[in-house]
Amino acid sequence: MAGPALSSGPDSPRVAELDRALDKIGVTRSHHTIIFLILIGCLFDSFEQNAVGIVGPMLRQQWGLSASDIGLLNTVTFTCAAIGRIVSGFIADRYGRRVMLSLDLLLFTLGAGVCAMAPNFTVMALGRAIVGFGLGGEIAIAVTMLAEFCSTRFRGTAVGLVNVGAGGLGNFLAPGFGLLVFWMFPGDNAWRWLFACLMVPALLGAFYRRYIPETPRFLLSQGRVKETNAVLSRLASGRLSAKKVPQQQYINEDGADAQPAKVKVRVTEIFRGALARRTIPLCITIWMTYGAQISVLTLMPTILVTLGYSMSKSLVFTMVMQGGSLLGAIAASLLGFHFPRKRVLTAGAVCACLAALTIGFVAKSIAVILVAGAVFQFFVLLLNTTIWIFAPELYPTRVRAFGTAFILATGTAAGALMPLVAGRLFDAFGLVGVFGLAAGMYAVFVISVQSVPETYGQSPDALPLPGEGPATDATPAAKIAQPG
């Protein structure tokens, strides 16, 4: 029995028209506005993810919490982030990306407010659960929306910028944001002010994001052709906030809304047939790279302390190595414009594996550890960001949000579990154990990613993709030419 068809909607000729329209429109001020608003949200998402670590010492002093209690707050946050990603993806495929983006933003704001007013550990944990749900959902929906707003050539760069803001710049600036808030609001309640300040950009984002329309791919998949043309016209005009924009008929509207298409959304599709052959290998790859990254980030300060460095020096050295993360995310965004996804992922994983082996088996001085660590973090963020670019391109519109969310949730789960394995290996074998594990995980990454079809230069609704067998659907592929 054949698996689910890969095509996105009931009308592939119109999908092809949409592909041509987006490529013709290119990149306008409207795209710049959408990217900016989404990036602001993702930047403060990253600040929120780092918030518990920043305020941890204050909570320990005021509430008498243990290190395990602080760790539990992070566990609650990331567990709910994984759940939030999956649930948000499911809702977004049924009711729209814009609806879920706004809801996730509301949850983020509500959770930050609960944390700011929390009288005890239990309420704080509840606030972190709400924050986690909103955080996880927002990142997954942001990636999906940018993939659906942009032209073929610019899509990779736009999606990559999400991780520049979240994984690169956000992680790098989060400690500085905390120091700024503590300087502005000193005293015992400084940590409450930190959470309160995290509510402000979310509220501003909610105001400005009302200008972000629903994505044209989702609208077309629902048979809402007139609305699709309206959004495309706003993108082309460069004026998202304009109330009246001259309408152009990018998609043929003849009889379009007489009987709106009813696209059935079955989330199990991503685990069957051709889609399963995309989902399973990419889940393995993201488990490998997220698991290796979070394991190293979690243990690096401890590793450096065991090597004889003070806690303050260990944190400074860790920040130096983290500098490679920002550069890696930027590089992925640039490479996404010029190179196939699998080529970037394969080369990056090989380099990450070599950097891990260097730290584990060759590094004998702090200088070598710092350089190899920065190189390792560069390639880790290069890989993670490229997966963010890759994932939404692998699924048809009707299940794109859920498929992307499931992939990212798998990475979140790996980040929660693999540090436990790495910690045991560090206790048993030291530096060699941790970075030997990381190197082995990237070797598995290289093997797994080879079975995923290439998407560079293809419509996100292409049927089939290069490397896959002939389509089982009767409808021709919505496919566009490879960019030069």
Side-chain angles (χ1 to χ4, degrees):
M1 181 176 179
L6 298 180
S7 62
S8 162
D11 209 340
S12 287
R14 282 185 176 142
V15 173
E17 286 183 304
L18 175 59
D19 291 326
R20 289 193 293 269
L22 288 171
D23 285 342
K24 179 182 178 181
I25 292 170
V27 183
T28 69
R29 288 178 58 191
S30 294
H31 289 93
H32 296 160
T33 301
I34 291 170
I35 292 170
F36 174 75
L37 293 176
I38 288 178
L39 278 182
I40 289 295
C42 292
L43 176 67
F44 280 90
D45 283 357
S46 183
F47 287 178
E48 183 63 80
Q49 289 181 37
N50 286 275
V52 169
I54 294 172
V55 305
M58 295 182 179
L59 294 180
R60 292 185 68 178
Q61 183 177 5
Q62 287 190 25
W63 290 352
L65 302 182
S66 65
S68 297
D69 292 331
I70 301 299
L72 179 60
L73 291 176
N74 264 334
T75 299
V76 169
T77 304
F78 284 101
T79 300
C80 290
I83 297 172
R85 283 177 173 170
I86 293 174
V87 174
S88 294
F90 175 79
I91 295 174
D93 281 331
R94 287 180 177 264
Y95 302 107
R97 287 65 164 117
R98 188 171 181 267
V99 170
M100 201 60 233
L101 187 69
S102 300
L103 182 57
D104 285 326
L105 197 60
L106 177 63
L107 288 171
F108 174 95
T109 306
L110 175 63
V114 171
C115 291
M117 298 183 292
N120 53 46
F121 177 81
T122 301
V123 177
M124 175 65 76
L126 174 62
R128 297 309 299 171
I130 299 172
V131 165
F133 195 101
L135 287 177
E138 178 158 0
I139 292 292
I141 302 306
V143 168
T144 301
M145 290 187 78
L146 288 180
E148 294 183 345
F149 270 123
C150 296
S151 62
T152 307
R153 195 75 184 266
F154 186 63
R155 188 171 61 231
T157 298
V159 175
L161 286 173
V162 174
N163 212 25
V164 173
L169 195 61
N171 285 336
F172 187 73
L173 293 179
F177 174 74
L179 290 173
L180 176 63
V181 173
F182 296 157
W183 174 75
M184 294 173 61
F185 304 101
D188 293 340
N189 289 321
W191 64 269
R192 296 187 186 274
W193 282 108
L194 177 69
F195 288 116
C197 289
L198 287 170
M199 297 175 63
V200 175
L203 292 173
L204 289 174
F207 175 78
Y208 287 115
R209 285 189 192 184
R210 63 180 180 164
Y211 297 120
I212 299 180
E214 184 55 82
T215 70
R217 289 194 183 276
F218 177 80
L219 292 172
L220 188 61
S221 75
Q222 301 296 305
R224 295 154 62 179
V225 180
K226 290 183 178 179
E227 293 177 66
T228 303
N229 281 327
V231 171
L232 290 172
S233 298
R234 290 175 67 188
L235 290 175
S237 72
R239 297 176 295 160
L240 281 179
S241 59
K243 294 183 178 180
K244 292 184 179 181
V245 173
Q247 300 294 299
Q248 299 186 48
Q249 189 170 321
Y250 291 96
I251 314 296
N252 185 5
E253 295 184 12
D254 293 341
D257 293 322
Q259 288 183 331
K262 300 295 183 183
V263 180
K264 293 183 179 180
V265 179
R266 296 187 178 93
V267 296
T268 56
E269 287 185 33
I270 71 170
F271 309 110
R272 295 188 287 119
L275 294 184
R277 292 190 290 274
R278 302 175 182 195
T279 301
I280 295 172
L282 202 59
C283 280
I284 294 173
T285 59
I286 200 169
W287 184 281
M288 296 299 120
T289 186
Y290 268 55
Q293 178 200 20
I294 303 303
S295 295
V296 171
L297 286 178
T298 301
L299 293 175
M300 185 54 73
T302 301
I303 290 172
L304 292 171
V305 168
T306 61
L307 293 177
Y309 297 98
S310 66
M311 186 64 192
S312 59
K313 281 189 175 181
S314 297
L315 290 175
V316 171
F317 290 156
T318 301
M319 284 191 66
V320 170
M321 286 184 274
Q322 270 286 77
S325 299
L326 176 58
L327 297 177
I330 294 172
S333 185
L334 296 174
L335 293 174
F337 188 83
H338 296 286
F339 294 100
R341 315 310 183 209
K342 288 174 64 175
R343 188 182 304 174
V344 174
L345 290 171
T346 301
V350 170
C351 292
C353 180
L354 293 175
L357 290 174
T358 300
I359 298 172
F361 295 89
V362 178
K364 301 300 181 182
S365 68
I366 188 61
V368 176
I369 292 176
L370 289 178
V371 172
V375 171
F376 178 79
Q377 290 299 333
F378 173 89
F379 286 108
V380 165
L381 261 292
L382 173 73
L383 294 172
N384 292 355
T385 305
T386 303
I387 288 178
W388 285 27
I389 295 171
F390 201 16
E393 296 178 340
L394 286 167
Y395 297 101
T397 300
R398 67 176 181 274
V399 292
R400 180 171 296 121
F402 181 76
T404 302
F406 187 85
I407 295 297
L408 298 186
T410 301
T412 302
L417 296 177
M418 290 309 298
L420 301 177
V421 178
R424 289 182 176 273
L425 288 174
F426 178 67
D427 290 338
F429 304 104
L431 205 64
V432 171
V434 175
F435 286 95
L437 172 66
M441 293 175 76
Y442 282 113
V444 174
F445 181 111
V446 171
I447 297 171
S448 180
V449 78
Q450 304 311 313
S451 62
V452 186
E454 182 57 70
T455 60
Y456 178 70
Q458 305 294 320
S459 164
D461 294 298
L463 168 64
L465 286 168
E468 293 183 317
T472 58
D473 192 20
T475 315
K479 190 174 180 181
I480 58 180
Q482 180 85 5

